[in-house]
């Protein structure tokens, strides 16, 4: 049977918008190149016409320039159509991709909701409340134990007024016990001599001092 009727050609993958957009953009770029070449010709003809006088030769160059300009307008129209087609396909492709992403997001949310329900079934609110109550009772028991351990034994009761009176008296005793002997030592220090030093001077006690105000050592 295959020999008589032949085998059908295998079907290729269906076209997709991404490939179509690439093909259309490629055609538009090719037309842009043609338009660029026509622009170059128009510039050349325009320069020639500027240098030529009025006459048949100039009219012939002008006709050539008009034909080139007409071709350019046709190519520009084709390019604009291809650009619009590419834009429309890009918009359609974006919409399709957005719908696919939305579908994937919804499916993921459904799976997440199922997992949350399954996990929630394993959590017992009553057990959590009982656990919280147990922890609270244990904390209260621990506080009672700490208070019991910190309790003082055999401490006599003391009047607060007596303590304040003793504290005031203690302050007066501390003031009386302060040592002020260093003030007496400071007053007994020899005075600093005034005026120009001389060979023979005495201090307040009548002791001979040298030019620096220090007691002189008797010569032996």
């Amino acid at each position: 049977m295959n020999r008589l009727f032949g085998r059908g050609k295998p079907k290729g993958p269906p076209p997709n918008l991404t490939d179509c957009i690439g093909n259309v953009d490629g055609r538009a770029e090719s037309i842009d190149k043609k338009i660029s070449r026509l622009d170059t010709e128009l510039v050349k003809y325009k320069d020639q016409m500027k240098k030529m006088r009025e006459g048949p030769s100039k009219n012939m160059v002008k006709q050539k320039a008009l034909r080139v300009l007409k071709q350019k307008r046709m190519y520009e129209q084709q390019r604009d159509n291809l650009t619009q087609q590419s834009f429309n396909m890009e918009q359609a492709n974006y919409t399709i991709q957005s719908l696919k992403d939305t579908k994937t997001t919804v499916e993921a949310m459904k799976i997440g909701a199922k997992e949350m329900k399954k996990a929630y079934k394993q959590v017992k609110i009553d057990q959590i409340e009982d656990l919280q109550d147990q922890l609270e009772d244990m904390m209260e028991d621990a506080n009672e134990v700490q208070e019991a351990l910190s309790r003082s034994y055999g401490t006599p009761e003391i009047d607060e007024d007596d303590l304040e009176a003793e504290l005031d008296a203690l302050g007066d005793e501390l003031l009386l016990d302060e040592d002020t002997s260093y003030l007496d030592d400071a007053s007994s220090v020899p005075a600093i001599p005034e005026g120009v030093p001389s060979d023979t001077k005495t201090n307040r006690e009548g002791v001979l001092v040298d030019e620096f105000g220090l007691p002189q050592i008797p010569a032996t």
Side-chain angles (χ1 to χ4, degrees):
M1 296 294 292
N2 291 332
R3 293 179 180 177
L4 295 176
F5 298 100
R7 295 182 180 181
K9 295 182 179 180
K11 295 182 179 180
N16 57 73
L17 286 176
T18 303
D19 294 338
C20 292
I21 292 171
N23 293 333
V24 172
D25 290 340
R27 291 170 60 189
E29 291 177 0
S30 177
I31 292 177
D32 278 333
K33 293 179 181 178
K34 294 179 180 180
I35 293 174
S36 179
R37 288 198 297 268
L38 294 176
D39 285 335
T40 302
E41 291 184 16
L42 285 174
V43 172
K44 182 180 68 175
Y45 290 145
K46 189 175 181 180
D47 291 339
Q48 290 180 0
M49 292 172 62
K50 289 180 180 179
K51 299 177 183 179
M52 298 176 67
R53 296 180 179 180
E54 296 293 337
S57 299
K58 185 175 182 179
N59 290 333
M60 184 178 62
V61 174
K62 184 178 180 180
Q63 292 298 324
K64 291 181 180 180
L66 291 174
R67 286 197 298 269
V68 172
L69 183 60
K70 185 177 180 180
Q71 292 179 4
K72 177 184 176 183
R73 293 289 179 83
M74 294 175 59
Y75 282 137
E76 287 177 345
Q77 184 65 35
Q78 293 177 6
R79 181 195 59 188
D80 294 340
N81 292 335
L82 292 174
T83 302
Q84 186 63 39
Q85 292 177 17
S86 177
F87 175 77
N88 293 337
M89 287 188 292
E90 286 179 353
Q91 291 298 108
N93 192 23
Y94 174 79
T95 303
I96 294 172
Q97 189 62 41
S98 297
L99 292 174
K100 289 181 179 179
D101 295 340
T102 302
K103 181 181 178 181
T104 303
T105 302
V106 173
E107 292 177 354
M109 292 176 65
K110 290 180 179 179
I111 295 174
K114 290 180 181 179
E115 294 294 332
M116 290 177 62
K117 290 180 180 179
K118 187 184 297 183
Y120 187 75
K121 289 180 180 179
Q122 299 176 359
V123 177
K124 304 298 181 181
I125 300 298
D126 296 336
Q127 293 179 359
I128 295 176
E129 292 179 352
D130 293 339
L131 180 60
Q132 292 290 340
D133 293 338
Q134 292 177 10
L135 291 174
E136 186 177 359
D137 294 338
M138 292 173 64
M139 294 297 296
E140 291 179 357
D141 294 339
N143 291 333
E144 292 178 359
V145 170
Q146 294 296 327
E147 291 178 359
L149 292 175
S150 61
R151 191 178 303 167
S152 59
Y153 303 96
T155 303
E157 295 183 0
I158 302 175
D159 189 2
E160 294 292 335
D161 295 335
D162 294 340
L163 288 177
E164 291 182 3
E166 183 177 353
L167 180 61
D168 294 338
L170 182 61
D172 296 337
E173 292 177 359
L174 292 175
L175 292 175
L176 293 175
D177 290 340
E178 290 182 353
D179 186 10
T180 60
S181 59
Y182 68 92
L183 297 176
D184 299 335
D185 295 338
S187 62
S188 63
V189 175
I192 299 174
E194 299 179 356
V196 181
S198 62
D199 294 337
T200 58
K201 283 189 176 181
T202 58
N203 56 15
R204 295 179 182 178
E205 290 77 13
V207 179
L208 295 174
V209 295
D210 56 13
E211 66 272 12
F212 300 103
L214 300 176
Q216 293 184 359
I217 300 174
T220 55

